[in-house]
Amino acid sequence: MGAAAEQAAEEREEWGGVTPDAARRLVSAAVEAFAERGYHATTTRDIAGRAGMSPAALYIHYKTKEELLYRISGIGHEKALRIMGAAAEAEGSAGERLRDAVRTFARWHAEHHTTARVIQYELQALSPEHYTEIADLRRRTDRLLRQIIQDGADSGEFRADDVPGTTLAVLSLCVDVARWFSSDGPRTPDEVGALYADLVLRMVGAPAGGPGGAATGKSG
Amino acid sequence: MGAAAEQAAEEREEWGGVTPDAARRLVSAAVEAFAERGYHATTTRDIAGRAGMSPAALYIHYKTKEELLYRISGIGHEKALRIMGAAAEAEGSAGERLRDAVRTFARWHAEHHTTARVIQYELQALSPEHYTEIADLRRRTDRLLRQIIQDGADSGEFRADDVPGTTLAVLSLCVDVARWFSSDGPRTPDEVGALYADLVLRMVGAPAGGPGGAATGKSG
DNA sequence: ACCGGGCCTAAGCGCTTGCTCAGCGGCGCG
DNA sequence: CGCGCCGCTGAGCAAGCGCTTAGGCCCGGT
């Protein structure tokens, strides 16, 4: 399989729910362009061009440029919420769940850093109604993580004086991966996830992290 | 002193180096607008309007809209570099210097979150030449922080297996304050600085932090 | 064979954008 | 008082924007 076909396969997985094919190609092109230049600096002509169509074709599948952003933001935030939910609902100690949450959440922000960049840094370009809807997904993600940290604090497993503040910091740390991560950089998404999980567990005073813990892994 | 006069006084301090007065008012208006809507969504008419001038007046003081961003970015990054430099060159253990660095750096990103937002999230709108210049300031800031963490790791005061990775995480954490901080929120800039200093010291395995350390301050 | 509808394009409309330019008011200086 | 000049404005230009419209191709059903 060639590189182009491979990328197309990846896109089909990430945007699998979007049909028909032309609509999916447009979403994919828009994510690329928005991540690269920002929403406002991206023209509908650019998006259509990347998708191999004329500018007018965009409006057959989406009413406005903002609707494209909304679709991307919705799918991305739902994916992020599902990732956090899977970690939160898993069995295990608070430490194990927190490790899993940070590892998978940070890794997703690295692996899908173009999508993540768009959904995290272009929120203000959404219409007020769409923003309200997306904000709800974000609150739910925050609540899931906060509950994990609260559980650890309640049981004495974590040392977290300010649970909302710690939650905010952990979420902020993971989200900001989308800003600095580059596929050309020295770190793989897996490595970022592992590093961040270790750092966060230490932040809450649970350095050993139970089974699978490797906070001081490489060299001690 | 009224609220308006107070705000004007603050601006004069932050942008004190910018003269004449009209040029400073334009910088101030541009920071506000860029932070609120983003660089590309801000029009020169909006900037001039906020500064109480006609659109044409902008071009007497700045050649282009991008030059305005460049000036803001330069002044902001130099301030950030000075803050990090002051902490790095201070006397004291690595733990003390790291605490000071994170506390002041995070606090600045909270207190001046509009400026910080512009300099951290609008880099891609700079011309390539201007970006290169700003990137150098960013590298120097990064190097200062990395040296503190390296010192602590070398002396055994910190437990940091991946010094560049830890540096990146700490910087990312502080920078991202600019994205979520709001003056209407429940936290003051001082509180954010204190919280973040505690979290970061634990991240590097130095929870007590020496004199002045209050990692588990509020309730233990 | 023929029609109907889904998908697409070429052309372009109305508007806003970053930026320019000729000219004007008022302050300092002689 | 009169002159020059600095800071500014009103009007507007070329270009590019988001989006629309009229029409054409192609494929499935009858």
Side-chain angles (χ1 to χ4, degrees), chain A residues 2-16:
Chain A
E6 200 172 326
Q7 196 193 342
E10 270 174 37
E11 284 168 12
R12 220 167 300 129
E13 194 184 339
E14 186 169 12
W15 308 109

Side-chain angles (χ1 to χ4, degrees), chain A residues 36-37 40-41 121 124 159 161-162 165 168-169 172-173 175-176 179-180 187 199 202-203 215-216 220, chain B residues 36-37 40-41 121 124 138 159 161-162 165 168-169 172-173 175-176 179-180 187 199 202-203 215-216:
Chain A
E36 208 170 283
R37 311 198 213 285
H40 288 292
Y121 298 107
Q124 47 139 27
R159 200 152 36 94
D161 312 314
D162 180 352
L168 184 60
S172 164
L173 196 60
V175 159
D176 201 52
R179 182 178 57 90
W180 59 259
R187 275 168 259 271
L199 292 174
R202 291 204 222 161
M203 250 173 60
T216 60
Chain B
E36 208 170 281
R37 309 198 213 286
H40 288 292
Y121 298 106
Q124 46 139 23
R138 293 172 72 81
R159 202 151 35 95
D161 311 314
D162 179 352
L168 184 60
S172 164
L173 196 61
V175 158
D176 202 52
R179 181 178 57 90
W180 58 259
R187 276 167 257 271
L199 292 175
R202 291 205 224 161
M203 248 172 61
T216 60

